Amino acid sequence: DATLEIAGAAKAHLDEARALSSKVPDTARPVFLGAVGCGMYLDALEGADFDLFHTSMQQKGGVSPLRLQLAIHWANVRGTY
């Protein structure tokens, strides 16, 4: 399934970026906060068994906008992505 392969590659790249986060200067970390949303989307996609047409994926990409904003804020406070 193409969705599974692409999502798997995206998750691998995201995990690699997160593993290298200790090498990113603190002042540059906010640039990577978009990765928080990517991770949440990939988790939601996995929860929908990589079915893009699952009803949970059709509504806001499977992620609540409030939950996304809170996760981004929390990652910013912690200095992670």
Side-chain angles (χ1 to χ4, degrees):
D1 184 43
T3 306
L4 175 61
E5 288 184 36
I6 293 170
K11 180 73 171 157
H13 286 292
L14 185 58
D15 289 343
E16 184 176 348
R18 286 177 172 162
L20 296 172
S21 68
S22 63
K23 297 181 181 182
V24 176
D26 289 342
T27 56
R29 287 188 184 210
V31 173
F32 295 99
L33 287 174
V36 173
C38 294
M40 291 176 73
Y41 179 79
L42 290 171
D43 290 342
L45 189 58
E46 184 177 6
D49 201 28
F50 300 99
D51 180 7
L52 292 172
F53 302 106
H54 190 273
T55 56
S56 67
M57 297 305 295
Q58 296 301 311
Q59 299 173 357
K60 299 177 177 96
V63 179
S64 158
L66 177 61
R67 186 171 166 237
L68 173 62
Q69 290 302 313
L70 290 173
I72 290 172
H73 177 70
W74 182 242
N76 189 36
V77 168
R78 290 185 346 206
T80 62
Y81 55 90

